Amino acid sequence: MKKTLFIALFLLSILRAYAQSGGAPAYDPTTSANLFFNALLEEDATTLSRLLTPDFGIVSFDGKIIDGGTLAQSLAGGFIVIDAGSIYSLQTRTYGEAAVTNGTWQVRGTFQNRGFDTEVVFTVVSVRQGGSWKVASVQMTPTR
């Protein structure tokens, strides 16, 4: 009985730590890329901020470079709203502490109140920091 109680308390403490951290850290670069796009879809600026390196940059649809803080603020402020998004053709190549993930994102949403519904080819560069993978850079190119 004591053993069962100990295990239950241990599992509850893990669940509590997971909930407070805003999600599990990415232990592989493919997961970090998926978490990035999921944070955009869920409009979760907190998780997005935790996932990005301090020097993160994204090259957006219009060719502008946006830093991580601005991206998170735009997401939190409703300037970027992703209504739906599906990732496919995902491929990751790892080079030691860095990785490159390429794929395609079918996405629909609004940017500064202008709607879009497009397919985007993307590159995500992830780096291993502090035992987990963080997103350092993202490049998005609309295909249509």
Side-chain angles (χ1 to χ4, degrees):
M1 180 68 180
K2 287 182 183 181
K3 186 176 181 179
T4 304
L5 182 60
F6 174 75
I7 291 171
L9 289 174
F10 177 73
L11 291 174
L12 284 174
S13 69
I14 289 173
L15 181 61
R16 181 173 178 232
Y18 175 84
Q20 289 175 347
S21 71
Y27 292 112
D28 65 72
T30 303
T31 300
S32 71
N34 279 318
L35 289 172
F36 173 82
F37 288 103
N38 191 57
L40 292 178
L41 182 62
E42 298 295 323
E43 299 173 25
D44 187 348
T46 302
T47 296
L48 185 68
S49 294
R50 289 181 185 142
L51 182 63
L52 305 179
T53 62
D55 59 349
F56 170 85
I58 182 171
V59 180
S60 66
F61 295 175
D62 58 3
K64 294 181 181 169
I65 299 174
I66 301 168
D67 65 85
T70 302
L71 178 62
Q73 289 174 355
S74 296
L75 195 62
F79 294 107
I80 300 171
V81 177
I82 305 299
D83 297 321
S86 298
I87 294 175
Y88 55 97
S89 301
L90 205 61
Q91 179 184 23
T92 299
R93 299 172 317 279
T94 304
Y95 306 97
E97 301 295 305
V100 177
T101 302
N102 297 107
T104 305
W105 190 30
Q106 183 65 46
V107 61
R108 181 174 36 87
T110 58
F111 178 70
Q112 294 181 337
N113 295 320
R114 290 190 320 235
F116 60 87
D117 186 354
T118 191
E119 182 178 86
V120 177
V121 176
F122 63 85
T123 298
V124 176
V125 177
S126 301
V127 294
R128 191 183 338 239
Q129 291 183 341
S132 67
W133 287 87
K134 303 269 187 173
V135 176
S137 182
V138 176
Q139 163 79 46
M140 293 188 188
T141 305
T143 59
R144 56 182 166 121

